[in-house]
Amino acid sequence: TMRSDADADTKAAKGPAHTETASSSSNSSSTSSSSTSTSSSSTSSSSSSAPVVVAALYKFFSFADHESTRGPLLALCELNCVMGTLLLAPEGINGTIAGPRKGVDLVVRFIKGIKGVGDGLSYKESFVTNAQRRQGAFLRMRVRLKKEIVTMGIEGVNPCERVGEYVEPKDWNALIERKDVTLVDTRNTYETRIGSFKGAIDP
């Protein structure tokens, strides 16, 4: 009888302990789940608020296989959440894209790997938020085949063969002040209204 009472006492003593352990385990699991949820939410929020890279790029070069490049380039952009527009033509590549840092870097690396491009790619970056990107023109990705990347409308003009002389920024003012130099501003109306160089001809 004494043994039975002891067993009963032991069981009684163990009962609440087991209940407390289960309750503690449940609380721990709940805390862990809450922590994981908070962490996941924080990561998601951080990812959505990360700045979007906007890359404007172009390169004039002899682009013989521009048609066959379109498919792989478009697939790479879509796979890496990169949006915007790229124009491919026999005279080169031109366009603006936007996306996450890694995605834009992969696309630019692909373009630089095209024969004739390399480090000669003209390339500038800026940054916007995801909200700004959704409000802008970067809602999808387009890679378009064109006759020209900059419309001239003149048959036989090849920017890869006939080019002007490059002028360093530090030499620009001295050049346009020369009496034997005529400066023609060929930018669009919106740009020339913002400002132009003194004495420049706006055709």
Side-chain angles (χ1 to χ4, degrees):
T1 304
M2 289 178 64
R3 184 177 299 172
S4 178
D5 290 340
D7 288 344
D9 289 341
T10 302
K11 289 178 181 177
K14 284 185 176 180
H18 280 299
T19 304
E20 183 178 349
T21 302
S23 175
S24 175
S25 174
S26 175
N27 288 339
S28 175
S29 174
S30 175
T31 302
S32 174
S33 174
S34 175
S35 176
T36 302
S37 175
T38 302
S39 175
S40 174
S41 174
S42 176
T43 302
S44 175
S45 175
S46 174
S47 175
S48 63
S49 63
V52 175
V53 181
V54 179
L57 55 91
Y58 77 91
K59 170 69 176 178
F60 285 102
F61 68 104
S62 183
F63 198 178
D65 55 347
H66 65 286
E67 292 184 5
S68 62
T69 302
R70 179 184 180 275
L73 182 54
L74 177 60
L76 180 64
C77 291
E78 292 178 337
L79 182 64
N80 290 280
C81 301
V82 174
M83 301 180 185
T85 301
L86 290 172
L87 307 180
L88 311 183
E91 66 181 21
I93 184 169
N94 184 22
T96 303
I97 55 175
R101 172 84 274 168
K102 182 179 178 181
V104 170
D105 285 348
L106 286 171
V107 174
V108 171
R109 187 183 308 164
F110 177 94
I111 294 173
K112 286 186 174 183
I114 298 172
K115 185 179 179 181
V117 181
D119 291 333
L121 180 70
S122 179
Y123 177 80
K124 291 183 179 180
E125 283 187 357
S126 58
F127 302 90
V128 297
T129 63
N130 260 314
Q132 288 173 320
R133 180 177 74 167
R134 286 192 291 269
Q135 293 173 359
F138 306 107
L139 302 178
R140 60 178 176 170
M141 186 65 220
R142 295 185 299 177
V143 180
R144 304 175 62 184
L145 299 177
K146 305 284 285 183
K147 291 183 179 180
E148 302 172 287
I149 59 172
V150 176
T151 304
M152 299 285 288
I154 304 175
E155 198 70 31
V157 173
N158 188 343
C160 301
E161 295 178 357
R162 186 179 179 183
V163 296
E165 180 181 341
Y166 181 80
V167 179
E168 294 286 349
K170 62 182 178 62
D171 299 327
W172 176 253
N173 287 340
L175 175 67
I176 64 174
E177 288 174 1
R178 285 170 39 182
K179 295 185 183 287
D180 61 338
V181 170
T182 299
L183 182 61
V184 181
D185 195 338
T186 61
R187 296 173 303 155
N188 60 41
T189 303
Y190 171 78
E191 293 171 321
T192 54
R193 280 179 178 173
I194 293 175
S196 186
F197 293 98
K198 183 179 179 180
I201 298 174
D202 180 4

